[in-house]
Amino acid sequence: MFHYSDGRYFCDQVDLEVIAREAGTPSYVYSANAILKAYSAYDDAFGAMPHMICYAVKANSSLGVLALLAKAGCGFDIVSGGELQRVLRAGGDPARVVFSGVGKTAAEIELALRSGISNFNCESEAELAEIDGIAWRLGVIGRFSLRVNPDVDAVTHPYISTGLRDHKFGIDIGEARAVYSRSKHFTNLRAAGVACHIGSQILDYSSILEATGKVLALIAELRTDGHLIDHIDLGGGLGIAYERGERAPGIAEFVSAIREQVGTSGLKVMVEPGRSIVGQAGVLLTTVLNRKKTPSKEFVVVDAAMNDLIRPALYKAHHDIFPLKVPVARDVLFADVVGPICETGDFLARDRLLPVLNPGDRLAILTAGAYGFVQASNYNSRPRGPEILVEGDSWRVIRERETFEDLIRGESL
Ligand code: LLP
């Protein structure tokens, strides 16, 4: 994990200043140990209860990260054909893949059926018909769960709350039983479970438990109707601490609450955690370019920007920022940390108390392992930085920094 030792900031046994110097900045650094530790926390907490942990690939889809999790036996939650191909390339087992998402194309469905994925989490009756048709043409049977919308408030940022009736996600829980009944007419589909995901960065998981209760009640009805429901998929969403001192529930505590609720139903429990597996395992390294004072404010301009980490601009998200070398002077600075992009929305931190910083100083923007690189863009023709994996005392580049040639690939005059 990330820690200071002798005034220098480390990822496991590697001095981050060394990585910043050799790989340049901006760059993303992930701790393999931290990722595997979070995965094992889920796996161990479920213990003997039948379960499948399907890491939500969208949180961080780097092949090096997926390969690490695949090797540990983790399953995957995907939302596109691209994510499926990544999982397969990384050595993931298709039999441990669930395909979520509110819109799936015919080509994606075909690829998923041909690959032999475990289950489709379906969001409409039209989607069931589409999968059934393709499965019939291929001569296979597709297993599905309906993603139900339980009308439960996840209490998180409105952009990442998904379980309320007016959201685009899932099938209203009140309509689900009838849809399952009608699904019996599909010759090449089999109802295998019920899925639910009410949002992301949920710090009070009582909302997830409330949704679980509603889904369990639905499963009881479906079983009376003769459906062979073998699993419940509770989605992802467990929140993490982004700020020093912020309280976030532990994985073990969360899982034990789920275990208690699902109890002796005989169901296999599936979860789709993304952020809680990779979020705290990554930082974004950046270098101070200059400092700038206006009559009302002070700014620290760095070489990372909203294109590298969009969470502050998009969700007003807080990310702690630490210097890679603790400055000798104790003076502090009250400033915004901003990137070079031509938008006022391009900030990484606002009104932040920081140590005094000078051009050339390097910083780590914390908790950038989830929804960091994956949401990065080339806005302002900025090449995306490298991704680096630290394994104990060694580190390697798992994705190279983009070049100008990468930026214009496929373009013509
Ligand atoms: N399953 C489904 C169906 C999802 O839609 C998501 C996330 C997950 C699992 C994983 O959720 P997690 O465990 O990571 O919370 N870009 C936003 C987060 C968007 C989450 C979208 N869905 C952010 O940076 O906060």
Side-chain angles (χ1 to χ4, degrees):
M1 283 296 259
F2 298 91
H3 62 99
Y4 279 105
S5 174
D6 283 338
R8 298 171 87 92
Y9 203 45
F10 277 69
C11 175
D12 297 321
Q13 285 96 269
V14 179
D15 181 347
L16 286 165
E17 188 75 26
V18 172
I19 297 185
R21 204 169 49 230
E22 290 182 26
T25 58
S27 49
Y28 306 81
V29 180
Y30 311 127
S31 157
N33 286 337
I35 294 172
L36 292 174
K37 212 171 136 199
Y39 165 69
S40 301
Y42 273 101
D43 199 34
D44 295 347
F46 275 109
M49 178 177 242
H51 65 279
M52 183 152 102
I53 295 145
C54 294
Y55 164 69
V57 174
K58 64 166 78 70
N60 183 326
S61 56
S62 196
L63 289 180
V65 169
L66 299 182
L68 199 67
L69 287 165
K71 218 170 135 200
C74 188
F76 298 94
D77 167 50
I78 56 156
V79 289
S80 70
E83 286 191 351
L84 175 54
Q85 284 175 287
R86 281 184 173 274
V87 167
L88 298 175
R89 184 67 67 91
D93 177 3
R96 299 175 75 77
V97 169
V98 294
F99 192 172
S100 302
V102 77
K104 305 174 180 75
T105 67
E108 289 174 325
I109 293 168
E110 178 161 347
L111 176 68
L113 285 169
R114 282 188 190 281
S115 310
I117 68 158
S118 154
N119 199 79
F120 289 87
N121 288 346
C122 295
E123 303 225 5
S124 68
E125 223 165 333
E127 188 187 325
L128 289 181
E130 172 107 43
I131 299 173
D132 181 59
I134 298 171
W136 176 80
R137 180 162 54 77
L138 299 178
V140 296
I141 302 286
R143 282 163 47 92
F144 78 92
S145 303
L146 287 187
R147 171 175 178 182
V148 297
N149 185 327
D151 197 28
V152 169
D153 187 356
V155 194
T156 182
H157 190 283
Y159 288 4
I160 54 175
S161 173
T162 54
L164 286 174
R165 193 160 278 157
D166 58 354
H167 293 152
K168 70 177 175 183
F169 297 98
I171 288 183
D172 190 274
I173 195 156
E175 292 169 10
R177 190 174 181 181
V179 178
Y180 274 100
S181 284
R182 290 196 289 276
S183 78
K184 286 185 174 166
H185 303 300
F186 294 122
T187 52
N188 290 65
L189 279 186
R190 185 169 96 57
V194 181
C196 174
H197 168 83
I198 60 167
S200 195
Q201 184 52 15
I202 298 171
L203 290 171
D204 175 1
Y205 59 75
S206 61
S207 53
I208 302 183
L209 298 180
E210 186 187 340
T212 307
K214 291 188 173 191
V215 173
L216 286 170
L218 171 66
I219 291 178
E221 291 175 351
L222 296 176
R223 284 178 157 174
T224 357
D225 293 347
H227 298 281
L228 301 170
I229 303 297
D230 59 32
H231 74 264
I232 179 170
D233 181 340
L234 298 173
L238 184 66
I240 58 176
Y242 277 90
E243 218 172 321
R244 227 182 331 180
E246 188 176 18
R247 271 273 308 141
I251 292 170
E253 168 196 332
F254 170 61
V255 171
S256 96
I258 290 177
R259 283 188 62 156
E260 200 167 307
Q261 202 174 10
V262 178
T264 51
S265 60
L267 291 165
K268 176 175 181 171
V269 181
M270 281 160 58
V271 284
E272 304 166 358
R275 191 192 310 267
S276 52
I277 291 198
V278 289
Q280 290 179 320
V283 296
L284 171 60
L285 302 183
T286 186
T287 303
V288 176
L289 298 177
N290 57 58
R291 260 166 67 185
K292 183 173 167 168
K293 224 174 175 149
T294 68
S296 61
K297 259 193 150 174
E298 176 136 26
F299 295 94
V300 176
V301 185
V302 297
D303 67 355
M306 66 188 283
N307 75 298
D308 303 299
L309 183 68
I310 202 174
R311 301 193 72 260
L314 194 55
Y315 315 111
K316 297 201 173 77
H318 176 104
H319 286 258
D320 275 342
I321 299 182
F322 290 177
L324 296 195
K325 280 196 262 182
V326 177
V328 187
R330 295 246 159 163
D331 303 340
V332 288
L333 189 65
F334 192 65
D336 285 11
V337 179
V338 299
I341 285 182
C342 315
E343 293 206 25
T344 303
D346 178 27
F347 57 86
L348 297 161
R350 279 192 148 163
D351 300 324
R352 193 67 68 82
L353 203 57
L354 298 157
V356 167
L357 297 168
N358 292 300
D361 286 348
R362 295 190 175 105
L363 304 170
I365 302 172
L366 269 62
T367 333
Y371 307 109
F373 181 89
V374 285
Q375 295 196 113
S377 77
N378 294 121
Y379 188 38
N380 280 208
S381 286
R382 292 168 51 86
R384 290 174 300 172
E387 293 181 283
I388 288 150
L389 191 67
V390 171
E391 290 169 297
D393 58 3
S394 71
W395 61 278
R396 64 196 161 93
V397 174
I398 53 170
R399 187 184 209 279
E400 286 176 9
R401 182 181 302 282
E402 287 176 333
T403 62
F404 174 68
E405 290 307 317
D406 293 325
L407 282 188
I408 59 167
R409 194 159 76 88
E411 290 187 46
S412 53
L413 294 177

